[in-house]
């Protein structure tokens, strides 16, 4: 395998098993010239697959869905000049990068943007964890005219300015819906390519709008010092990680060292919603994913995201999506 092979995303190796069948299959998978390909995990290692669709010369889509019967570590060397957007639809995934301290992680319903540099990394697949991801790869050397009109330069700037070259953001409900629609594509052949192309461009536009352009504008809001923005981002993180039981406004102020006026005004200014409305929005997005992926029934999903009464959850859901959750998903409440 040589560095001048442009079609190769990664060179993959299992350092504990030089004859690893999965590593061999993945290398063949990424080197293949076919526009659509799939490999399955060897039964002795686990179950699941990697599937790739090259929808045109500048864009490839990879869907992976895997559960391992034993802990597995795969190392990869990335050599091409491309940008990747990886959407985590399953359990959290962590990895380390040679020469960089600590570990990197993308959590459930987060998107990681990375690329445009040569890296060597190792990913740990834990026993029985369900890894499910969807990646869009953009080849910067052959960007089509359509994609060139998107503000890709803002994405590369965000990646360069992020820690370790990985720019992680939370997925919105719209992104979750679009990724699921591509995973569950109902078409085959040329119609499938057309459908995936349109959906991928739609997802790119939404991602750039919500995670790159809006954030760039927010960061330039006047009246917020760098210290204030740091405290407000910390407040958002605390809320995001405690959706079911968020702290009171008073407690949140104490934790981030802001007075109530600065917290309420700054949070809305930076993130577009008051704290309470933001909590409701994030709860509804989390519940939408749980119901869309059929992981839970309505009652359990409502309780998981912090609603003590299913009726309150249903009212909020209908206000946002136009239908009650039972009508939207055709689910039984319990």
């Amino acid at each position: 395998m040589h560095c001048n092979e442009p079609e190769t995303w990664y060179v993959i190796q299992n350092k504990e098993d030089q004859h690893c069948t999965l590593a061999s299959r993945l290398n063949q998978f990424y080197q293949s010239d076919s526009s659509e390909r799939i490999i399955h995990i060897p039964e002795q290692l686990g179950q699941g697959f990697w599937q790739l669709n090259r929808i045109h010369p500048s864009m490839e889509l990879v869907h992976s869905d895997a559960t391992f019967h034993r802990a597995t570590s795969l190392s990869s060397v990335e050599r091409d000049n491309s940008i990747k957007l990886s959407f985590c639809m399953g359990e959290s995934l962590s990895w380390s990068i040679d020469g960089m301290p600590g570990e990197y992680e993308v959590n459930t319903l987060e998107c990681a943007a990375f690329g445009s540099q040569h890296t060597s990394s190792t990913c740990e697949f834990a026993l029985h964890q369900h890894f499910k991801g969807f990646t869009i790869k953009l080849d910067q050397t052959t960007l089509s005219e359509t994609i060139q009109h998107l503000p890709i330069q803002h994405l590369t700037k965000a990646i360069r300015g992020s820690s370790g070259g990985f720019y992680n953001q939370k997925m919105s409900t719209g992104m979750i819906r679009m990724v699921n629609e591509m995973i569950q594509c109902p078409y085959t052949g040329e119609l499938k390519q057309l459908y995936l192309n349109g959906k991928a461009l739609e997802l790119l536009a939404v991602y750039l709008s919500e995670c790159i352009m809006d954030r760039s504008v927010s960061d330039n809001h006047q009246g917020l010092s760098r210290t204030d923005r740091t405290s407000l981002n910390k407040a958002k993180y605390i809320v995001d990680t405690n959706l079911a039981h968020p702290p009171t406004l008073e407690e949140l102020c104490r934790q981030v060292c802001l007075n109530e006026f600065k917290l309420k005004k700054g949070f809305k200014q930076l993130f577009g919603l008051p704290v309470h409305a933001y909590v409701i929005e994030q709860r509804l997005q989390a519940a939408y994913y749980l119901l869309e992926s059929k992981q839970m029934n309505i009652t359990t999903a409502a309780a998981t995201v912090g609603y003590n009464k299913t009726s309150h959850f249903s009212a909020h859901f209908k206000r946002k999506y136009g239908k009650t959750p039972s009508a939207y998903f055709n689910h039984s409440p319990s």
Side-chain angles (χ1 to χ4, degrees):
M1 188 121 3
H2 301 286
C3 293
N4 61 355
E5 293 179 351
E7 295 299 324
T8 304
W9 284 38
Y10 306 112
V11 178
I12 296 172
Q13 181 183 16
N14 184 334
K15 293 181 179 178
E16 297 176 357
D17 179 5
Q18 297 299 316
H19 304 287
C20 176
T21 306
L22 178 58
S24 176
R25 289 183 183 180
L26 284 168
N27 281 317
Q28 293 174 11
F29 174 79
Y30 286 117
Q31 293 171 45
S32 172
D33 291 330
S34 60
S35 61
E36 186 170 357
R37 64 199 91 141
I38 186 169
I39 63 160
H40 294 275
I41 297 176
E43 292 183 2
Q44 67 270 25
L45 276 182
Q47 59 185 24
F49 62 88
W50 269 260
Q51 182 175 17
L52 183 146
N53 290 89
R54 181 180 291 125
I55 53 179
H56 51 66
S58 58
M59 187 186 295
E60 292 181 350
L61 310 176
V62 175
H63 173 210
S64 55
D65 194 327
T67 303
F68 287 81
H69 297 331
R70 64 172 184 255
T72 302
S73 176
L74 293 176
S75 298
S76 63
V77 178
E78 188 173 345
R79 293 168 167 165
D80 63 351
N81 182 33
S82 62
I83 298 173
K84 291 91 178 174
L85 295 179
S86 286
F87 300 88
C88 182
M89 306 299 286
E91 297 184 51
S92 300
L93 191 63
S94 61
W95 63 92
S96 59
I97 300 176
D98 291 355
M100 301 292 289
E103 280 197 336
Y104 297 87
E105 185 175 44
V106 57
N107 295 308
T108 304
L109 300 186
E110 282 187 346
C111 175
F114 56 99
S116 297
Q117 59 182 337
H118 293 189
T119 58
S120 178
S121 60
T122 300
C123 187
E124 303 291 340
F125 296 91
L127 177 66
H128 300 321
Q129 279 190 287
H130 182 201
F131 300 99
K132 183 179 181 182
F134 190 86
T135 297
I136 298 177
K137 176 200 171 190
L138 300 173
D139 185 347
Q140 296 190 92
T141 61
T142 60
L143 285 181
S144 68
E145 184 177 348
T146 303
I147 297 175
Q148 284 177 342
H149 291 307
L150 293 172
I152 299 296
Q153 71 277 10
H154 292 283
L155 177 55
T156 56
K157 181 179 179 181
I159 293 171
R160 286 196 300 269
S162 61
S163 176
F166 286 84
Y167 183 75
N168 286 22
Q169 295 295 316
K170 192 165 184 178
M171 295 171 63
S172 67
T173 302
M175 293 182 208
I176 296 168
R177 173 182 56 79
M178 283 179 267
V179 170
N180 280 323
E181 286 173 347
M182 283 190 280
I183 289 173
Q184 300 163 13
C185 175
Y187 304 108
T188 59
E190 292 181 356
L191 284 178
K192 180 176 184 178
Q193 297 296 90
L194 182 63
Y195 178 86
L196 290 176
N197 184 52
K199 283 293 176 183
L201 290 174
E202 181 185 7
L203 178 57
L204 274 172
V206 170
Y207 172 83
L208 289 167
S209 172
E210 295 181 358
C211 294
I212 304 297
M213 306 306 292
D214 288 352
R215 180 170 293 273
S216 175
V217 171
S218 295
D219 284 344
N220 291 325
H221 278 312
Q222 295 184 2
L224 291 175
S225 67
R226 179 177 297 181
T227 301
D228 287 345
R229 292 199 303 271
T230 298
S231 295
L232 290 165
N233 278 303
K234 181 180 178 181
K236 178 178 178 294
Y237 175 80
I238 292 170
V239 170
D240 285 340
T241 53
N242 296 277
L243 278 179
H245 304 287
T248 63
L249 198 61
E250 181 180 358
E251 175 61 20
L252 190 59
C253 288
R254 187 191 66 78
Q255 290 186 41
V256 302
C257 301
L258 285 178
N259 62 45
E260 185 173 330
F261 174 79
K262 272 195 172 183
L263 176 63
K264 290 168 70 174
K265 180 180 179 182
F267 197 97
K268 183 177 180 180
Q269 187 175 355
L270 202 55
F271 306 115
L273 290 170
V275 177
H276 180 65
Y278 179 84
V279 170
I280 292 174
E281 176 70 14
Q282 298 307 306
R283 283 177 168 178
L284 290 174
Q285 288 190 17
Y288 183 100
Y289 170 74
L290 294 172
L291 295 172
E292 171 72 20
S293 59
K294 300 182 180 178
Q295 295 184 33
M296 297 179 181
N297 61 38
I298 293 170
T299 301
T300 306
T304 298
V305 301
Y307 285 93
N308 294 323
K309 293 185 178 180
T310 306
S311 58
H312 289 171
F313 167 65
S314 294
H316 283 148
F317 191 97
K318 184 177 181 180
R319 192 175 302 137
K320 178 174 176 62
Y321 296 108
K323 294 182 180 179
T324 63
S326 57
Y328 195 100
F329 294 105
N330 196 24
H331 280 188
S332 171
S334 60

